Amino acid sequence: MHVIALSATLLGLDAEPVRVEVDAARHVPSFEIVGLAETSVRGSRVRVKSALGQIGLDLSEYRVIVNLAPADVRKNESSFDLAIAVAILASVGVVPVESIDGVLFLGELSLSGAVHPLRGVLAHLMNAKKRGDRRAIVPHGNEGEAGFISGIDVRTVESLAEMIQSLRGDIELPRPTGARRVAASSKVDNLDEVHGQFGARRALEIAASGGHNLLMIGPPGSGKTMLARRLPGLLPPLSNAEALEVTAIHSVAGLLTSNASFRPSRPFRSPHHSVSDVGLIGGGEGPRLGEVTLAHHGVLFLDELPEFRRSTLEGLRLPLEDGVVTISRARAKATFPAQPMLVCAMNPCPCGFLGDGTRRCACSAERVRTYRSRLSGPLLDRIDIHVVLPPVKVTELQQTSRDESTETVGARVASAREVQSSRASRLGFASHVNSGLTLRELETAAPLSARSAELLASALTMHALSARAYTRVLRVARTIADMAGEVDVSPEHIAESVGLRVFERGLRSAAT
Ligand SMILES: Nc1ncnc2c1ncn2[C@@H]1O[C@H](COP(=O)(O)OP(=O)(O)OP(=O)(O)O)[C@@H](O)[C@H]1O
Ligand SMILES: [Mg+2]
């Protein structure tokens, strides 16, 4: 009898529905699967046959044909096992055909008939909800993330035997119970452990307040890595929608722990400089999610920036501008969200001591130039704030009084973000942080007095800043004014913003 069960395949974070069509009849035994990548077919056939054997259904008496449609969607997952098995069971009359109607089945089977957890279950369920599916069965091992979704009847299953009992109406499968929407109590590194570095602390606070990208330049051991790691702690907790998206991304990437039911904290990703283009941006087989997507709504930290391959960094340009990574496939285009705050760190020169008043720099001017030329101009242009860190003084390290803590600075960041958010709602801006405002929006959000406009114009000419830099200087100035609780952007705000922009000038001042 011809039977159809529903399943789905993931392309990044998007899911395409897949119809599993099965025809099983008593005949010369055979078991064919079409519409699935060759390597996956063999595994699926073995697992489904063995799992059905375990519950007493011997397929050697049947001719079974399985078709996964549509045929032109690339499918090479093991997540169709459960749908194939239930469709066969319905086709041979072990379970009623109506019982599988309109239900989305996701799960990989083991040889013994256990239903194994899968990657990307939350992404599957978010798509199912969007499509208007009413009911879904997912592996019990995924109940933590499945508990995040509401508005669709989700049940979890542990074994094929249990699945059959439920389809026959003998038992009711449990709903996921794991959803505890509370933040996991993770101890964050505190900002009060960083001594001195007032300029960099201020730059970090501005970056956190307005969601701006940040570049820190300083000698080894000046606290660049320390500061970067403390940025996620300064940002407000993820909203419900953000938490859902971050969990779905981590689910697809196979990074969820068994604590998936907890609200995630802001991601902090720090890829090594040897990372490949695909590793950083995403794509390739699968396609894989890159670090820029894994850091979505969090922080992407590129330590030792000049050591990254230039081509890899160039790949970041579009995602940084658009907030998404677009990957083209023969039939479909996948887009992955990619809106992290970018934080970069580097030494001022190869030996690291250029501008360090205490140690001599051993680099020739030519070496310094070559080192800096590895940075991509267009990428630097996309970093709103450049800050130079001096070496830490021993007296600063020995001071016993604590500097401001993550809690104190985080509270100020939260109120600056509140100001931006209410302005964005009032004026109908898409972005609720200043880093996302367009030039047109800034005209309304940050009108300049004649003095401010004059100061900005002369700074741009003096430092030969690009048109992109103009917008970015304005955004940062808007943030500085918001932090001060001021409606107007004053010349002081513009001056501080320009000072945070000028990479070369900053390096020169560090060298004197
Ligand atoms: N401002 C600071 N306050 C307190 N400790 C500091 C500070 N700067 C550096 N340290 C100490 O030095 C260690 C190294 O700091 P960190 O890794 O942040 O330096 P860095 O600037 O990233 O250096 P590199 O250029 O070598 O990567 C820290 O773990 C900390 O113990
Ligand atoms: Mg470091």
Side-chain angles (χ1 to χ4, degrees):
M1 181 179 180
H2 189 78
V3 169
I4 295 176
L6 298 179
S7 194
T9 183
L10 279 182
L11 181 65
L13 291 171
D14 298 327
E16 289 243 22
V18 169
R19 280 191 324 277
V20 178
E21 305 171 351
V22 168
D23 202 29
R26 284 187 194 273
H27 206 282
V28 184
S30 73
F31 188 176
E32 267 181 70
I33 303 183
V34 287
L36 191 62
E38 193 48 47
T39 43
S40 306
V41 168
R42 239 169 291 138
S44 206
R45 207 164 35 201
V46 170
R47 289 190 303 270
V48 170
K49 204 168 178 176
S50 167
L52 288 172
Q54 290 294 319
I55 48 113
L57 180 64
D58 185 1
L59 286 188
S60 65
E61 294 167 27
Y62 292 91
R63 188 201 62 189
V64 180
I65 300 172
V66 179
N67 179 35
L68 273 62
D72 56 350
V73 175
R74 213 174 131 275
K75 311 176 227 45
N76 59 358
E77 296 125 292
S78 46
S79 55
F80 307 114
D81 288 359
L82 184 62
I84 295 174
V86 296
I88 294 174
L89 287 165
S91 182
V92 302
V94 174
V95 300
V97 174
E98 316 80 68
S99 68
I100 67 166
D101 204 26
V103 183
L104 176 73
F105 291 94
L106 299 167
E108 178 189 318
L109 291 173
S110 75
L111 296 179
S112 65
V115 180
H116 279 179
L118 296 174
R119 285 182 182 195
V121 163
L122 181 54
H124 268 297
L125 292 175
M126 286 163 77
N127 281 283
K129 188 176 165 179
K130 239 188 283 170
R131 285 195 305 264
D133 289 359
R134 280 166 293 118
R135 200 154 184 217
I137 312 279
V138 303
H140 186 70
N142 292 113
E143 75 151 353
E145 56 185 292
F148 267 94
I149 205 101
S150 59
I152 168 168
D153 183 6
V154 181
R155 304 300 171 107
T156 68
V157 67
E158 276 182 277
S159 68
L160 193 55
E162 197 188 34
M163 187 75 253
I164 293 170
Q165 284 180 299
S166 140
L167 293 173
R168 284 177 167 166
D170 297 340
I171 59 162
E172 191 159 335
L173 290 175
R175 294 173 205 277
T177 54
R180 283 161 287 174
R181 304 287 187 91
V182 293
S185 58
S186 60
K187 203 190 146 321
V188 293
D189 293 327
N190 204 298
L191 197 61
D192 65 11
E193 291 153 358
V194 182
H195 296 283
Q197 298 303 10
F198 298 108
R201 292 172 67 106
R202 168 83 180 158
L204 194 71
E205 183 175 340
I206 298 171
S209 297
H212 304 288
N213 298 330
L214 173 70
L215 168 66
M216 291 184 278
I217 307 132
S222 52
K224 301 182 294 297
T225 303
M226 259 185 117
L227 283 160
R229 290 198 178 281
R230 282 154 183 79
L231 177 55
L234 296 180
L235 302 172
L238 293 170
S239 67
N240 282 342
E242 288 172 340
L244 195 63
E245 231 182 329
V246 168
T247 308
I249 289 169
H250 286 85
S251 158
V252 169
L255 295 175
L256 281 188
T257 60
S258 51
N259 272 348
S261 51
F262 286 117
R263 177 195 285 286
S265 42
R266 291 217 177 248
F268 181 86
R269 304 289 305 181
S270 173
H272 187 255
H273 55 68
S274 60
V275 67
S276 66
D277 297 13
V278 166
L280 188 64
I281 313 299
E285 274 306 301
R288 228 176 100 183
L289 304 182
E291 291 290 336
V292 68
T293 294
L294 296 175
H296 183 56
H297 292 315
V299 173
L300 176 65
F301 179 45
L302 304 183
D303 206 354
E304 323 289 353
L305 187 65
E307 305 297 332
F308 283 78
R309 267 185 299 273
R310 209 183 149 116
S311 64
T312 312
L313 292 180
E314 295 282 315
L316 273 179
R317 286 165 51 179
L318 273 180
L320 286 182
E321 208 76 18
D322 304 341
V324 291
V325 171
T326 308
I327 287 158
S328 295
R329 280 281 177 272
R331 185 177 174 276
K333 217 159 63 180
T335 54
F336 307 155
Q339 279 179 297
M341 277 180 67
L342 176 68
V343 177
C344 304
M346 63 180 281
N347 295 137
C349 65
C351 84
F353 296 118
L354 179 67
D356 183 327
T358 54
R359 283 160 291 193
R360 259 181 70 86
C361 167
C363 310
S364 66
E366 185 53 34
R367 269 195 84 199
V368 176
R369 235 190 328 273
T370 314
Y371 179 72
R372 301 239 193 101
S373 69
R374 285 197 224 144
L375 297 174
S376 132
L379 180 71
L380 282 184
D381 228 16
R382 283 164 173 79
I383 302 179
D384 301 347
I385 301 177
H386 303 164
V387 67
V388 175
L389 287 80
V392 199
K393 296 195 190 78
V394 179
T395 49
E396 282 172 340
L397 288 177
Q398 288 174 339
Q399 80 190 22
T400 47
S401 65
R402 293 252 157 176
D403 287 305
E404 282 188 315
S405 66
T406 291
E407 292 74 22
T408 310
V409 179
R412 282 202 303 264
V413 168
S415 37
R417 285 194 168 221
E418 188 52 46
V419 173
Q420 297 166 63
S421 180
S422 56
R423 180 175 48 234
S425 312
R426 199 174 62 245
L427 300 174
F429 296 163
S431 169
H432 280 228
V433 280
N434 290 336
S435 59
L437 299 185
T438 61
L439 190 54
R440 167 70 45 87
E441 288 168 343
L442 283 162
E443 281 165 14
T444 336
L448 299 178
S449 67
R451 260 185 67 219
S452 298
E454 200 181 310
L455 180 69
L456 182 54
S458 65
L460 285 179
T461 319
M462 183 156 64
H463 302 294
L465 296 179
S466 68
R468 185 182 284 119
Y470 177 85
T471 311
R472 290 184 177 255
V473 166
L474 260 186
R475 286 178 186 150
V476 174
R478 180 64 266 172
T479 299
I480 295 169
D482 288 338
M483 290 165 72
E486 288 180 29
V487 178
D488 295 325
V489 175
S490 72
E492 289 72 35
H493 304 142
I494 297 280
E496 185 175 3
S497 177
V498 171
L500 286 169
R501 177 77 214 176
V502 192
F503 175 53
E504 286 298 333
R505 200 190 67 156
L507 278 175
R508 272 205 303 277
S509 69
T512 52

